[in-house]
Amino acid sequence: DAHQPPCQIIIQHNTMDYLHPITATMTAECHFNNDMLWSRFLRTLERHHRARITLHADVLSEGRNCAGFDGGSSCTSTSFAV
């Protein structure tokens, strides 16, 4: 998939805001809709074999948004092919 570069992901910092108790199975959804920032991230990863990005994810349980995750991540790669 073109949206999944071959790299190791390291979460460097994060915050988690809990809105409701999570009492059942949970899932996390991350929607990143900024094509310009994603392209810059991929170009940086290709050129320097490392890049950083900040993402937000919603944690859902039983159809309810129970938590929000914000984190800054770095990715490192020893090989990269577009």
Side-chain angles (χ1 to χ4, degrees):
D1 185 334
H3 296 291
Q4 296 178 359
C7 66
Q8 293 180 320
I9 299 171
I10 301 166
I11 299 173
Q12 293 183 308
H13 59 86
N14 71 76
T15 58
M16 189 86 168
D17 294 316
Y18 295 93
L19 309 171
H20 303 284
I22 300 171
T23 58
T25 301
M26 65 176 206
T27 59
E29 294 181 359
C30 178
H31 302 281
F32 190 76
N33 298 318
N34 189 323
D35 291 337
M36 184 182 77
L37 286 178
W38 185 249
S39 294
R40 182 172 41 177
F41 168 79
L42 291 176
R43 281 193 315 272
T44 302
L45 185 60
E46 182 178 14
R47 287 183 189 142
H48 303 286
H49 302 286
R50 63 179 167 219
R52 293 183 181 178
I53 196 162
T54 300
L55 300 171
H56 173 82
D58 293 314
V59 179
L60 309 168
S61 181
E62 297 182 321
R64 185 179 200 186
N65 186 2
C66 294
F69 169 90
D70 290 293
S73 301
S74 68
C75 296
T76 57
S77 173
T78 56
S79 64
F80 189 89
V82 176

